[in-house]
Structures are given as structure tokens and as C-alpha cells.
């Protein structure tokens, strides 16, 4: 191949002994080194994400047709593994089709069984019986022994030592909200995806850049903002005590977005809705969702399951929809995201990839329910006690509200009094003094006079230094009480959030007070009329589903 035809060389070897890169640079050819072990170890997921991003960006940016050269030592296993990953994330095909595509272009293709198995496992596909791993090439087998019949190092090691592959044992792993989900992505890709979120939510990067989590945050209910329920039309839902994530769905993968505004890739499928209500040909691309990850404990078996409760949608296939009223976004969420996914899941053998297994995905997905205010008593007394995951109160959502990034003064949260909490940064100073910090205008603010007790903590206070801790208020002792470490957060609450929580604690809107207020509110004409209309509409919708 002539130099002028090459635009990018991706080197997957675990060594730098094969060639110098200076000649490539002189010819204007970009060289990317992604160091991958060879023997008995497939490339790690971060390396795969880097490879796919580099290839995608090169193809997107090139002005004239240039080629990409990918190589490991022999150009079969690591090279094939990476190229199959790229095909899976850029084309509409199954793992079997992608493996066949590569093997026809580079015979015999991937010949290591563990590489083949890893691809099927990663993409949650059942391996067809007809897929047979090709035998090790003759030239490879003949080099395994030296002239004395002794084993020689495998060139595909590239100076690496053998690594034992993990055995696939079923284990009873305890799931927690602190578990890190998904795989890291390249820094350039992270910045690009952050920028998309800011543009979608119509935010300016500002002086602090675009590193601040932009998701909508509720404010604590107090006696003043409680009156908003009388002025605007609200629906209610339970406040799940899980982990907050936004989710960005693209053709090349789904990305969980945590409270630190970091993105991690998870392997999930979200097919688009077909105009004829059947299974569509494509998948969502730049659809942005908001939700909460919870851990359900099934009542019969006590088995744990992760579930992502989606409660809002901010963009649909690149198109921002944040200015639409909430009830429209909520309905679109069901029609555009949940229904196509459920339809394909139940009709998988008619889909373009009948070998895909939804049950192997890292978590389940559902739309979160919202109810009329007239049902709040039932939600508190009957629904929440029967939930299979933790809940700590209620959320009141304006039915006609747009999506408001960051603090949304009209999005209200009510928590059980004992669970009203603040997230502090806890530190132990040089004089061994325990200190609690909040943020004010992006800087640490020492909260003089505030103390915390670690009553049920298994470790000494010193082990919490430098960490974000969630604390509840003990009104009798006038101290904060440690609840848990917030591993999903890298900064404490803002001072304004603290003031609103303290106002909510002082106002002490109990369950009884809340229910009495709501009973009065739903008698107002604006509520009574809409509740009657909405109730009829829901009855018709439920009847249609049953048919």
C-alpha cells in the first residue's frame, strides 16, 4: 500500500520493537498506539472504546479517501477483535455476521476461541451452533516449538506473560448503589458528549467549562412552595432511593451519565419505533433520557435486579424536546423508547438479530409511573410499602412544565422527616478537628457550628475524611447523623440547597399535613375538572392496551 493512501495506523501490539513511527509522521500519517496483551487476554473494554472512537473520528473528519491500517503481531486475533467491535457499533449486523465479514477479508479470521466467546458475551448474543472457530494456521502451529522441541514464547504475546482467563462461575454477588457500572471512555469523547448535553439543554459552558452535571434537581417542599400545588397542575410519583443517572443512547452504545458528569458505556439495545409499529431497522442515535437506577429485591426468591426507572426525555434522535410540556415528553418516552424495546424483546426471532439476549443486559428498563394528586394517599399507604426497592418520599412534577436543567424551583420533593438529608464534604483538619463543608459559588465553605455523629458507622471517623457523606438531622440533639457515603457525587451540596433543606426541616410538613393539604387542593376547580378528564383518558388507554 502506498504511503499517500494511508491516513491512520493503529498499533495494537504490546511492544514498540517492530518499527519507528517517525517515517509515518513525516508522511502526515497519524499513528495511534493502543497497547494490548496477546496471549490468553482479550483487549480490555477501555482499549476497545478508544479504538472505536479513533476510527469513527478519522472517518468522520477525513476530506479525501484515506485508508486505516490496523495491526497486532499477526493481524488476526486482536486486530479482528477490534474490527468486529467497530462493525458491531457502526453497522446493523450480528456478531456472527461481523466475524464472517472479517474472516473473508483476512482469512482465516479470528482463530482464538476465547476471543470469539468474548465477542458473543460482550454483545449479549447466543452463539449459534454453526459458528465454528477456525483452526490455528499451520504457520502458527509450526512455530510453537524450537529445534529442540521446547516451547517458545508466542509472538502474539509481545513480551507479555500468560494471563489466566477468568472462569465463568455463577456467584451470589450483592448489588449496591455504590457499584460502578459500565466502561470508561476516551477523554476527547467525554468532552464531545458533555458538549452535546449542554447544547441540548440550552446551557452555556461558562467560566467553569462544561464539567457540571446539568440534570434537573428538585427542591425540598416547604410551606411556601407547597402553594405551587394550588397554582399549577401537578402529578406525583414516589422518590426512589437509588442512584441518579442520565442516559445518552447512540448508535455505537449507551452511556450512563453520573452526578460527576462522567460517562461510562454500557451494552444495551434501544431499537427505534417503526412507522408501521413493527420492529424498526435502526437504533436510537443521540436520544437523551433522565432517570434513577434502583436495585429491586424480588419478594419470592430474594434475588436482586438492577432497574433503570426513566422519568423524562430531553432529546429524541438529536432533536431537543425540553420545551415541550412534561406530559408530552412522558408519553413520547413510552411510545419512542419503551414500546419498541418491549416489542422487539417479545418478538426477538423476527428481528434483524434473533440471537440477541435482552436478559443478559446489565439492567432492566421501564418508564416510571406518575399519578393524579388524588391518588397520593394510596401511593403513601399502599404502593410505597410494597415496593421492591427503597423509597424515601414523593416527587411532585408540574404536568405542563418544560425540562429545567439544574435547580428547578417548581419540581418539588417531599421526604419522610427522618430522611431529610444534606450531602457534606467531611474532613479532619491538622488539629484533628472534624469539619463539614458545603459549596458556595463553586468553592468550599466551612459550616462552623455544625457537627456530625457516626452512630452506626462500622469504621472510625478518620476513614471518612475527604469523602462526601449524606447526613440526616437529629432535632433533639441538634447534630447531623451520618447515613452513608455518596460515591456517586464528587462535590457537596450547595449552600442554597442546604438552606432549603433546613427550611423544610423547620417547616416539618408531616405526612398528615401533606395529605390534608392535597385533599383541599384536589377540590379546586382547576384540579377537579382535569382529574375527571385525565381519569377517563387513562381508563380508555388501559382498555385499549387490554384489547
Amino acid at each position: 500500500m502506498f504511503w499517500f493512501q494511508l491516513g491512520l495506523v493503529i498499533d495494537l501490539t504490546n511492544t514498540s520493537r517492530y518499527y519507528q513511527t517517525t517515517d509515518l509522521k513525516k508522511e502526515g500519517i497519524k499513528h495511534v498506539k493502543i497497547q494490548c496483551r496477546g496471549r490468553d487476554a482479550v483487549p480490555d473494554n477501555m482499549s476497545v472504546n478508544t479504538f472505536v472512537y479513533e476510527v469513527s473520528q478519522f472517518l468522520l473528519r477525513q476530506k479525501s479517501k484515506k485508508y486505516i491500517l490496523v495491526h497486532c503481531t499477526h493481524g488476526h486475533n486482536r486486530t479482528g477483535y477490534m474490527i468486529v467491535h467497530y462493525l458491531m457499533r457502526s453497522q446493523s449486523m450480528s456478531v456472527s455476521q461481523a466475524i464472517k465479514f472479517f474472516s473473508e477479508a483476512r482469512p482465516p479470521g479470528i482463530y482464538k476461541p476465547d476471543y470469539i466467546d468474548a465477542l458473543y458475551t460482550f454483545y449479549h448474543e447466543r452463539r449459534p451452533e454453526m459458528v465454528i472457530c477456525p483452526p490455528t494456521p499451520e504457520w502458527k502451529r509450526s512455530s510453537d516449538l524450537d529445534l529442540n522441541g521446547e516451547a517458545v514464547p508466542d509472538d502474539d504475546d509481545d513480551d507479555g506473560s500468560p494471563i489466566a482467563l477468568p472462569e465463568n462461575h455463577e456467584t451470589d454477588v450483592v448489588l449496591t448503589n455504590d457499584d460502578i457500572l459500565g466502561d470508561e471512555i476516551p477523554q476527547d469523547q467525554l468532552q464531545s458528549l458533555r458538549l452535546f448535553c449542554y447544547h441540548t439543554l440550552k446551557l452555556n459552558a461558562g467560566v467553569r467549562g462544561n464539567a457540571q452535571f446539568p440534570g434537573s434537581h428538585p427542591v425540598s417542599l416547604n410551606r411556601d412552595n407547597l402553594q405551587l400545588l394550588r397554582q399549577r397542575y401537578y402529578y406525583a410519583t414516589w422518590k426512589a432511593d437509588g442512584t441518579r443517572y442520565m442516559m445518552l443512547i447512540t448508535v455505537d452504545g449507551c452511556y450512563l451519565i453520573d452526578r460527576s458528569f462522567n460517562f461510562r458505556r454500557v451494552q444495551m439495545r434501544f431499537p427505534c419505533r417503526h412507522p408501521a409499529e413493527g420492529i424498526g431497522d435502526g437504533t436510537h442515535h443521540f436520544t437523551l433520557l433522565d432517570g434513577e437506577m434502583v436495585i429491586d429485591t424480588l419478594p419470592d426468591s430474594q434475588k436482586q435486579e438492577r432497574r433503570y426507572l426513566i422519568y423524562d426525555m430531553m432529546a429524541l434522535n438529536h432533536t431537543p424536546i425540553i420545551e415541550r410540556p412534561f406530559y408530552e415528553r412522558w408519553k413520547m418516552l413510552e411510545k419512542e423508547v419503551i414500546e419498541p424495546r418491549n416489542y422487539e424483546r417479545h418478538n426477538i426471532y423476527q428481528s434483524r438479530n434473533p440471537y440477541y439476549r435482552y436478559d443478559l443486559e446489565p439492567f432492566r428498563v421501564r418508564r416510571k409511573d406518575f399519578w393524579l394528586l388524588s391518588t397520593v394517599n394510596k401511593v403513601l399507604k399502599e404502593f410505597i410499602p410494597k415496593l421492591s426497592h427503597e423509597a424515601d418520599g414523593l416527587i411532585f412534577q408540574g404536568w405542563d412544565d418544560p425540562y429545567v436543567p439544574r435547580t428547578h424551583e417548581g419540581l418539588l420533593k417531599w421526604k419522610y422527616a427522618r430522611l431529610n438529608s444534606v450531602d457534606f464534604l467531611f474532613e479532619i483538619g491538622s488539629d484533628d478537628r472534624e469539619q463539614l463543608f458545603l459549596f458556595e459559588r463553586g468553592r468550599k465553605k466551612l459550616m462552623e457550628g455544625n457537627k456530625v455523629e457516626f452512630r452506626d458507622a462500622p469504621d472510625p471517623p478518620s476513614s471518612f475524611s475527604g469523602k462526601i457523606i449524606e447526613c440526616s438531622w437529629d432535632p433533639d440533639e441538634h447534630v447531623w447523623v451520618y447515613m452513608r457515603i455518596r460515591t456517586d457525587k464528587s462535590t457537596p451540596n450547595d449552600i442554597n440547597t442546604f438552606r432549603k433543606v433546613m427550611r423544610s426541616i423547620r417547616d416539618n410538613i408531616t405526612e398528615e399535613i401533606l395529605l390534608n393539604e392535597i385533599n383541599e387542593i384536589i377540590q379546586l376547580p382547576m384540579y377537579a375538572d382535569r382529574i375527571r378528564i385525565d381519569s377517563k383518558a387513562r381508563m380508555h388507554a388501559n382498555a385499549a392496551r387490554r384489547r
Side-chain angles (χ1 to χ4, degrees):
M1 186 176 289
F2 297 104
W3 286 120
F4 66 83
Q5 292 177 302
L6 273 180
L8 172 64
V9 173
I10 301 181
D11 175 2
L12 304 175
T13 62
N14 196 34
T15 182
S16 56
R17 70 172 183 254
Y18 290 135
Y19 60 87
Q20 298 295 320
T21 61
T22 50
D23 289 339
L24 297 176
K25 293 175 182 176
K26 285 178 185 176
E27 298 295 333
I29 300 168
K30 183 179 180 181
H31 179 269
V32 174
K33 178 73 174 179
I34 305 176
Q35 200 156 330
C36 303
R37 289 180 177 273
R39 189 194 303 177
D40 295 335
V42 300
D44 62 74
N45 294 342
M46 175 59 182
S47 296
V48 172
N49 291 342
T50 301
F51 176 86
V52 173
Y53 181 71
E54 288 289 348
V55 172
S56 301
Q57 289 302 297
F58 175 80
L59 295 176
L60 183 67
R61 292 171 180 170
Q62 70 168 339
K63 296 177 181 177
S64 58
K65 188 173 183 180
K66 296 277 188 178
Y67 289 92
I68 302 172
L69 174 63
V70 183
H71 75 86
C72 49
T73 303
H74 300 298
H76 289 283
N77 294 308
R78 281 166 291 179
T79 298
Y81 186 81
M82 292 295 207
I83 289 175
V84 167
H85 270 288
Y86 172 75
L87 292 172
M88 289 297 298
R89 301 185 191 187
S90 62
Q91 308 293 321
S92 178
M93 59 174 64
S94 66
V95 171
S96 299
Q97 291 169 325
I99 288 173
K100 184 173 184 288
F101 189 93
F102 175 73
S103 67
E104 290 175 348
R106 176 71 173 159
I110 301 172
Y111 56 80
K112 286 191 172 183
D114 47 311
Y115 278 59
I116 300 280
D117 290 339
L119 285 165
Y120 281 101
T121 299
F122 186 92
Y123 288 102
H124 312 314
E125 289 190 25
R126 179 168 48 87
R127 178 173 172 174
E129 292 180 5
M130 62 188 138
V131 174
I132 300 173
C133 186
T136 303
E138 184 62 34
W139 51 264
K140 187 75 171 72
R141 290 200 301 271
S142 61
S143 66
D144 285 345
L145 301 177
D146 64 13
L147 294 176
N148 297 316
E150 299 293 331
V152 296
D154 188 339
D155 283 337
D156 220 33
D157 273 351
D158 301 323
D159 300 332
S161 56
I163 296 178
L165 288 173
E167 295 183 27
N168 188 21
H169 292 311
E170 289 289 328
T171 56
D172 294 326
V173 178
V174 177
L175 306 182
T176 74
N177 288 327
D178 297 336
D179 296 337
I180 297 174
L181 306 179
D183 303 312
E184 193 179 351
I185 64 173
Q187 191 66 27
D188 288 350
Q189 185 181 16
L190 172 65
Q191 296 302 330
S192 172
L193 296 182
R194 282 178 171 177
L195 202 57
F196 167 78
C197 291
Y198 266 57
H199 287 163
T200 297
L201 300 177
K202 297 181 170 29
L203 290 170
N204 294 319
V207 178
R208 295 175 63 189
N210 60 347
Q212 187 180 356
F213 182 74
S216 188
H217 296 298
V219 297
S220 297
L221 193 67
N222 58 50
R223 292 185 185 272
D224 285 343
N225 61 26
L226 177 61
Q227 302 312 309
L228 288 176
L229 298 182
R230 296 175 179 271
Q231 299 162 16
R232 285 148 54 179
Y233 191 55
Y234 275 84
Y235 263 52
T237 188
W238 76 101
K239 186 179 180 301
D241 188 17
T243 305
R244 170 76 177 278
Y245 288 106
M246 296 197 304
M247 179 192 277
L248 178 62
I249 309 170
T250 71
V251 164
D252 69 310
C254 299
Y255 300 90
L256 289 177
I257 309 167
D258 65 21
R259 292 286 292 269
S260 298
F261 207 19
N262 289 319
F263 290 62
R264 296 182 73 89
R265 187 186 183 282
V266 289
Q267 183 58 38
M268 306 281 287
R269 268 191 61 72
F270 285 91
C272 283
R273 180 172 65 91
H274 192 274
E277 302 302 325
I279 295 177
D281 292 329
T283 58
H284 280 267
H285 193 44
F286 284 94
T287 291
L288 186 61
L289 310 173
D290 206 347
E292 188 100 1
M293 190 73 70
V294 299
I295 297 173
D296 282 327
T297 302
L298 305 184
D300 296 333
S301 63
Q302 294 300 298
K303 178 186 175 184
Q304 289 182 301
E305 274 186 353
R306 291 191 201 278
R307 190 183 302 273
Y308 186 52
L309 301 175
I310 311 173
Y311 48 70
D312 213 331
M313 178 163 65
M314 298 84 87
L316 176 62
N317 294 319
H318 263 293
T319 304
I321 58 172
I322 61 171
E323 293 175 356
R324 294 195 182 202
F326 173 75
Y327 71 87
E328 281 190 20
R329 302 194 307 272
W330 190 63
K331 290 175 182 175
M332 289 173 69
L333 175 56
E334 181 74 12
K335 196 167 190 65
E336 301 289 346
V337 178
I338 302 299
E339 286 183 1
R341 180 178 158 87
N342 287 344
Y343 186 92
E344 184 182 86
R345 194 157 53 91
H346 295 132
N347 298 275
I348 193 67
Y349 292 109
Q350 301 170 27
S351 74
R352 68 176 186 271
N353 186 359
Y355 296 103
Y356 189 79
R357 291 187 56 182
Y358 276 97
D359 60 304
L360 295 180
E361 290 183 337
F363 49 84
R364 298 185 180 277
V365 174
R366 63 166 284 188
R367 182 184 68 160
K368 198 178 186 192
D369 290 322
F370 285 78
W371 297 286
L372 299 161
L373 281 193
S374 54
T375 66
V376 165
N377 183 63
K378 198 170 184 179
V379 172
L380 285 171
K381 307 287 188 187
E382 299 179 26
F383 179 80
I384 289 180
K386 294 178 182 176
L387 276 173
S388 52
H389 57 263
E390 295 295 321
D392 55 5
L394 296 171
I395 295 288
F396 296 98
Q397 168 72 56
W399 205 231
D400 303 304
D401 283 1
Y403 187 90
V404 179
R406 297 186 178 148
T407 302
H408 181 6
E409 298 291 345
L411 182 61
L412 309 175
K413 65 177 178 182
W414 174 85
K415 297 177 83 170
Y416 298 105
R418 67 186 186 281
L419 297 177
N420 261 316
S421 62
V422 173
D423 299 328
F424 293 100
L425 169 62
F426 176 74
E427 290 185 357
I428 295 182
S430 56
D431 55 354
D432 291 333
R433 188 163 62 102
E434 296 179 2
Q435 300 171 315
L436 293 175
F437 292 90
L438 294 172
F439 257 27
E440 185 174 35
R441 297 177 182 175
R443 296 185 177 184
K444 285 167 52 177
K445 176 180 176 62
L446 176 62
M447 299 302 293
E448 293 281 6
N450 284 266
K451 296 182 179 179
V452 60
E453 292 184 358
F454 295 87
R455 294 176 181 172
D456 299 318
D459 301 310
S462 58
S463 65
F464 299 96
S465 185
K467 296 177 180 176
I468 307 298
I469 59 172
E470 183 177 1
C471 303
S472 61
W473 179 249
D474 183 333
D476 298 324
E477 300 293 330
H478 294 281
V479 294
W480 293 99
V481 180
Y482 166 81
M483 296 171 68
R484 60 172 173 163
I485 296 174
R486 292 298 301 265
T487 56
D488 60 321
K489 297 183 71 174
S490 55
T491 58
N493 281 147
D494 187 83
I495 186 67
N496 291 322
T497 301
F498 170 80
R499 288 169 181 152
K500 289 169 184 173
V501 172
M502 292 306 297
R503 168 72 189 278
S504 181
I505 291 171
R506 285 195 304 272
D507 285 357
N508 193 26
I509 300 176
T510 63
E511 185 174 322
E512 182 182 3
I513 292 171
L514 179 67
L515 291 175
N516 287 338
E517 285 282 339
I518 288 176
N519 284 335
E520 287 183 17
I521 290 168
I522 60 177
Q523 306 304 318
L524 298 173
M526 64 170 283
Y527 267 99
D529 292 343
R530 289 189 69 166
I531 286 174
R532 186 174 62 255
I533 293 168
D534 284 4
S535 295
K536 285 183 178 179
R538 287 205 165 193
M539 285 174 63
H540 288 312
N542 290 336
R545 280 199 197 97
R546 284 194 292 269
R547 287 198 297 270

